[in-house]
Amino acid sequence: MITDSEKGPVGKSSVLEKLEIGFLAIVMMVMTALVLAQVFYRFFMESSLTWSEELVRFLMIWMTFFGAVIALRQNLHIQIDNLIVKLPVKAKVVFLIIRSAAMLVFLGLMMAGSFSLLEIAGFQTSPGLSIKMSYVYSVIPITAALMMLITIIRLWTDIKQAVSDKKSQPNGGTL
């Protein structure tokens, strides 16, 4: 593709991405500790932690959504770019705009739907932890907003890159 996921405002050097990765590392450690504690309590104490499985499940939901954010930032989602690479600059820019617009529409719908879900989930509590389910599902609008931001920044960066690539070509020119 046009962007280099190692550089730029959406690349690995991003402070926000470092925070996301740190958050996921902590979540993974907590999940591992909880599962090990649950195994210990079941086999050695002949008892069970009633809340740990539910917490691990909720943390897995958060980890999945934040993993999708990081995958988008690093351009790791599945894509076939054989055709896009061979397109002329104008067509590439048009394609990038259409792709980003489609992603923004999808993420906007996801965010809008999540607000309805949060209203409903606000009346439900989890059986093991007795917390509002809206806390669990709040990850949806949070990560949708992050992915929208990444998509907008990526589109801007891709267009700037395409324009600079066009200007650096031997025949120069405009889009």
Side-chain angles (χ1 to χ4, degrees):
M1 214 50 209
I2 290 177
T3 57
D4 180 4
S5 65
E6 301 292 324
K7 300 175 186 170
V10 292
K12 288 186 179 177
S13 61
S14 165
V15 172
L16 186 57
E17 184 175 12
K18 289 179 182 176
L19 289 173
E20 292 162 356
I21 290 172
F23 172 74
L24 288 181
I26 291 169
V27 167
M28 188 61 135
M29 286 188 280
V30 169
M31 287 174 58
T32 303
L34 286 172
V35 169
L36 289 174
Q38 180 71 335
V39 169
F40 175 78
Y41 271 85
R42 279 190 183 167
F43 288 105
F44 297 110
M45 305 298 278
E46 296 181 8
S47 179
S48 180
L49 300 174
T50 57
W51 53 271
S52 68
E53 288 180 42
E54 189 172 74
L55 181 56
V56 168
R57 189 175 318 120
F58 295 160
L59 290 174
M60 179 67 97
I61 292 168
W62 276 70
M63 193 170 71
T64 301
F65 277 90
F66 272 95
V69 171
I70 291 170
L72 179 64
R73 185 183 316 275
Q74 294 180 0
N75 212 16
L76 296 175
H77 285 288
I78 296 173
Q79 59 185 346
I80 301 171
D81 62 354
N82 295 349
L83 175 66
I84 301 157
V85 172
K86 295 178 182 177
L87 289 174
V89 175
K90 281 184 182 179
K92 214 180 272 189
V93 169
V94 169
F95 174 80
L96 292 172
I97 291 169
I98 292 170
R99 179 191 71 178
S100 296
M103 288 175 61
L104 290 171
V105 166
F106 171 77
L107 292 168
L109 290 171
M110 187 170 97
M111 185 181 286
S114 70
F115 290 130
S116 300
L117 177 64
L118 289 177
E119 282 183 41
I120 295 167
F123 297 110
Q124 300 173 343
T125 57
S126 67
L129 295 170
S130 298
I131 62 169
K132 288 187 176 187
M133 290 302 292
S134 58
Y135 296 139
V136 176
Y137 296 127
S138 65
V139 71
I140 301 170
I142 292 169
T143 54
L146 287 170
M147 287 190 271
M148 289 172 91
L149 178 65
I150 291 166
T151 301
I152 291 166
I153 292 170
R154 166 111 356 102
L155 175 63
W156 177 252
T157 306
D158 285 349
I159 290 173
K160 282 187 353 186
Q161 172 102 26
V163 169
S164 69
D165 287 351
K166 178 67 174 177
K167 288 180 181 176
S168 67
Q169 288 179 354
N171 59 0
T174 61
L175 289 176

